[in-house]
């Protein structure tokens, strides 16, 4: 959705704005602290580390549907809400959380075009005021067609049925720059 649409619908019942910012460890940035300092009025912070699978040591893995429903419902998001997601970079974090909602069966979800950088460039207001929403009942149903396992990815190397896109930087893709997390190998599939 456009920034104009968001500005016009900030107070609309059933529209929930999420700040889904996340930063890699090497950036030295803290998305939660940045949200507390500056966000679009009415936005709720979506913590990708908090709403994830805590049974693995891998970061940001998709939670179970029950965990997703519990955590998202606690944020005050229900099944019928229109969720609009932005981040402080422009789209990367927002796109990931958009996919998470879609993978859990929540179809009424959008990304705000240009994210917070565009919002600020247009001179739109931000706040440090944190608002909370009343918890809502939430259901979630995993959409298996939107998720690939490691086994699926390995099988696709030979089958070449699906196009795989690596959204990391060229340096990370080519292993010419360091990975942001200790122990990760550089390069690509």
């Amino acid at each position: 959705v456009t920034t104009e649409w968001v500005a016009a619908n900030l107070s609309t019942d059933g529209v929930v704005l999420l700040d889904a910012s996340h930063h890699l460890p090497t950036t030295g940035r803290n998305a939660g602290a940045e949200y507390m300092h500056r966000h679009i009025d009415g936005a709720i912070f979506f913590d990708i580390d908090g709403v994830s699978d805590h049974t693995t040591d891998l970061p940001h893995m998709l939670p179970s549907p029950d965990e997703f429903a519990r955590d998202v419902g606690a944020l005050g998001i229900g099944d019928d809400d229109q969720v609009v997601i932005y981040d402080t970079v422009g789209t990367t974090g927002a796109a990931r959380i958009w996919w998470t909602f879609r993978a859990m069966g929540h179809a009424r979800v959008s990304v705000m075009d240009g994210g917070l950088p565009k919002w600020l460039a247009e001179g739109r207001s931000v706040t440090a005021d944190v608002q909370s929403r009343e918890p809502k009942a939430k259901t979630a149903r995993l959409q298996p067609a939107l998720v690939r396992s490691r086994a699926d990815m390995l099988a696709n190397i030979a089958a070449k049925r699906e196009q795989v896109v690596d959204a990391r930087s060229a340096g990370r893709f080519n292993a010419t720059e360091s990975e942001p997390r200790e122990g990760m190998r550089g390069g690509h599939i």
Side-chain angles (χ1 to χ4, degrees):
V1 296
T2 64
T3 51
E4 292 81 10
W5 187 93
V6 172
N9 287 280
L10 282 176
S11 300
T12 302
D13 284 340
V15 174
V16 181
L17 188 59
L18 295 182
D19 180 328
S21 301
H22 177 76
H23 305 294
L24 293 172
T26 54
T27 65
R29 294 176 66 181
N30 180 314
E34 290 178 14
Y35 165 83
M36 296 300 285
H37 174 70
R38 178 175 76 177
H39 56 270
I40 299 172
D41 192 26
I44 300 166
F45 183 68
F46 186 93
D47 181 5
I48 191 172
D49 292 320
V51 185
S52 64
D53 181 356
H54 298 285
T55 65
T56 177
D57 60 352
L58 298 172
H60 323 306
M61 295 293 104
L62 200 59
S64 72
D66 288 343
E67 291 168 322
F68 179 83
R70 179 197 65 218
D71 294 346
V72 168
L75 293 174
I77 300 170
D79 292 339
D80 295 327
D81 287 327
Q82 170 65 47
V83 178
V84 178
I85 306 169
Y86 74 91
D87 63 49
T88 56
V89 176
T91 57
T92 56
R96 168 60 195 271
I97 302 309
W98 171 88
W99 169 80
T100 300
F101 272 80
R102 295 294 304 233
M104 290 296 163
H106 192 105
R108 296 193 71 209
V109 59
S110 304
V111 172
M112 185 178 79
D113 182 30
L116 191 62
K118 183 175 183 196
W119 183 270
L120 294 172
E122 293 171 346
R124 299 184 189 276
S125 65
V126 291
T127 186
D129 296 336
V130 175
Q131 299 172 11
S132 61
R133 298 174 54 87
E134 289 294 318
K136 288 187 174 180
K138 178 79 180 111
T139 57
R141 288 175 211 79
L142 181 64
Q143 307 299 302
L146 297 180
V147 181
R148 298 295 177 268
S149 68
R150 182 177 188 270
D152 294 335
M153 297 300 291
L154 290 172
N156 192 56
I157 292 171
K160 295 180 177 33
R161 285 192 193 110
E162 297 179 320
Q163 176 67 53
V164 177
V165 177
D166 189 323
R168 299 171 304 148
S169 67
R172 289 179 64 199
F173 181 84
N174 293 314
T176 58
E177 67 183 56
S178 299
E179 285 294 326
R181 293 181 186 91
E182 191 174 320
M184 285 184 68
R185 292 183 298 177
H188 56 275
I189 298 172

